[in-house]
Amino acid sequence: FAGKEGSQILAVAAGVVTWAGPRFGYGNLVEINHGKGYATRYGHNEKILVKVGETVKKGQVIALMGSTGRSTGPHCHFEVLRNGRAVDPAKYIQASR
């Protein structure tokens, strides 16, 4: 999702932070485990506002948008994983509204 540098990145669901730092290709990445095999990733952040092991709530600000890692401009690389495999995030975005 393209946006303005420094825009707030929100968790789409409650969970526990399992990664919060640099990761190859993703730049500054936040990964959240939501249980029942689901996890989300938010990449290319300018600044990470959470720590590994922290419990986050749906809608909580977890990072600020940036252009770190393999990126050509400010955006949030958003992924949904189910049992470790990437799935189409479209229906999860709609469900989180």
Side-chain angles (χ1 to χ4, degrees):
F1 297 99
K4 183 179 176 189
E5 187 98 14
S7 295
Q8 295 180 336
I9 304 298
L10 310 177
V12 296
V16 177
V17 178
T18 55
W19 187 282
R23 193 153 175 185
F24 181 77
Y26 291 94
N28 294 325
L29 175 74
V30 174
E31 184 172 291
I32 301 172
N33 181 327
H34 303 287
K36 298 184 180 180
Y38 285 96
T40 51
R41 289 181 179 162
Y42 310 80
H44 307 295
N45 302 297
E46 171 184 82
K47 183 175 184 181
I48 294 173
L49 304 174
V50 292
K51 293 180 173 38
V52 171
E54 185 175 337
T55 299
V56 297
K57 297 177 182 177
K58 176 182 176 179
Q60 181 177 332
V61 179
I62 57 171
L64 300 179
M65 187 176 292
S67 185
T68 60
R70 295 181 56 105
S71 173
T72 58
H75 73 287
C76 176
H77 174 97
F78 176 69
E79 280 184 37
V80 175
L81 303 167
R82 182 154 192 234
N83 298 320
R85 301 184 84 157
V87 296
D88 183 357
K91 70 179 179 179
Y92 302 100
I93 294 166
Q94 291 299 323
S96 73
R97 292 184 176 184

